[in-house]
Amino acid sequence: MAVAGAVSKVFGVSALNSLIYNSIPLIIFCFSCYYTDSKFQLALAKIMTLAYTMLMLAVYIGLMVEIGEKGWLSATAISAGSFFLPLLLAGMLHFEEAYCMPYMLVYLITIPSMYVLLVIYSFFNLWNVSWGTREVAQKKTKADIEREKKEEAERIADMKKKKKEGLVGTLLDQFNLGGDGGETASVDFSLGNVMRCMCFTHDDPLEPKNS
């Protein structure tokens, strides 16, 4: 709708006709994503990206002409400033990433591709995990399998130890009361990461400096 509104304002087309004209290629792209393979979808997206790039260039040129005719206090100028100025301000506040500023031109002319075509493509290709940030199952090496077996054995041994200690031992372990796992106090209990109380403190014999 944002692209349709810009086209309507720049080219003088009615808002309804502009919305219909912009909906036609999107509907075609939706059908192609549903009935064709990914290779054809990406090829069509590239062609549509080129078309949208030309369209956005025409929109920006039309906006500059309209701002020049109506002045910097016009509604069009204020609307454009509310979009472009935050981008420039964010770029000036991050000097280490200032080298990325020239790429803002690519961002501005490919807005329809990023916010329309990419969303449609990702929606129709949720099954594809070969791109994006999705995790792909990897084959485990022998070392990974051995490490997992060792960790599992240690976990089972720890569970058996706690089971032998009974309910009292489990509660004491939850509150770290009188534990022997390298504690530096005879009585030590805590409330998550909020509070910790240590009573009858002493040097920890398990510390490397004391061994």
Side-chain angles (χ1 to χ4, degrees), residues 1-9 18-19 22 56 59 111-112 115-116:
M1 292 185 67
V3 176
V7 171
S8 174
K9 182 178 288 293
S18 177
L19 183 62
N22 282 276
M56 293 304 296
V59 167
I111 286 178
Y115 291 101
V116 180

Side-chain angles (χ1 to χ4, degrees), residues 3 26 48-49 52-53 55-56 60 107-119:
V3 176
L26 298 182
M48 295 181 66
T49 297
Y52 275 120
T53 298
L55 179 64
M56 293 304 296
Y60 291 136
Y107 166 78
L108 292 176
I109 62 177
T110 56
I111 286 178
S113 298
M114 290 184 292
Y115 291 101
V116 180
L117 300 183
L118 180 59
V119 173

Side-chain angles (χ1 to χ4, degrees), residues 88-204:
L88 296 175
L89 180 61
M92 290 186 292
L93 292 177
H94 297 80
F95 295 104
E96 294 183 356
E97 294 83 12
Y99 65 90
C100 297
M101 287 296 293
Y103 298 103
M104 186 174 67
L105 297 175
V106 180
Y107 166 78
L108 292 176
I109 62 177
T110 56
I111 286 178
S113 298
M114 290 184 292
Y115 291 101
V116 180
L117 300 183
L118 180 59
V119 173
I120 296 174
Y121 177 82
S122 60
F123 180 78
F124 282 96
N125 292 272
L126 293 175
W127 57 271
N128 191 347
V129 296
S130 63
W131 62 280
T133 58
R134 307 168 190 178
E135 295 183 358
V136 180
Q138 299 179 353
K139 293 184 178 180
K140 297 180 180 179
T141 62
K142 186 176 180 180
D144 294 334
I145 296 175
E146 293 295 332
R147 186 179 68 253
E148 290 182 357
K149 289 182 178 180
K150 184 179 179 180
E151 292 176 352
E152 182 66 16
E154 292 177 353
R155 186 183 66 84
I156 293 175
D158 186 60
M159 290 178 62
K160 289 181 178 179
K161 180 181 177 181
K162 291 181 179 180
K163 187 175 181 180
K164 290 181 180 179
E165 293 175 350
L167 178 61
V168 176
T170 303
L171 293 175
L172 292 177
D173 182 70
Q174 293 294 323
F175 288 97
N176 293 329
L177 292 174
D180 57 351
E183 303 295 342
T184 56
S186 299
V187 179
D188 181 2
F189 59 92
S190 62
L191 181 61
N193 294 326
V194 178
M195 181 189 70
R196 184 179 185 187
C197 181
M198 302 174 63
C199 302
F200 311 110
T201 59
H202 56 82
D203 293 334
D204 189 358

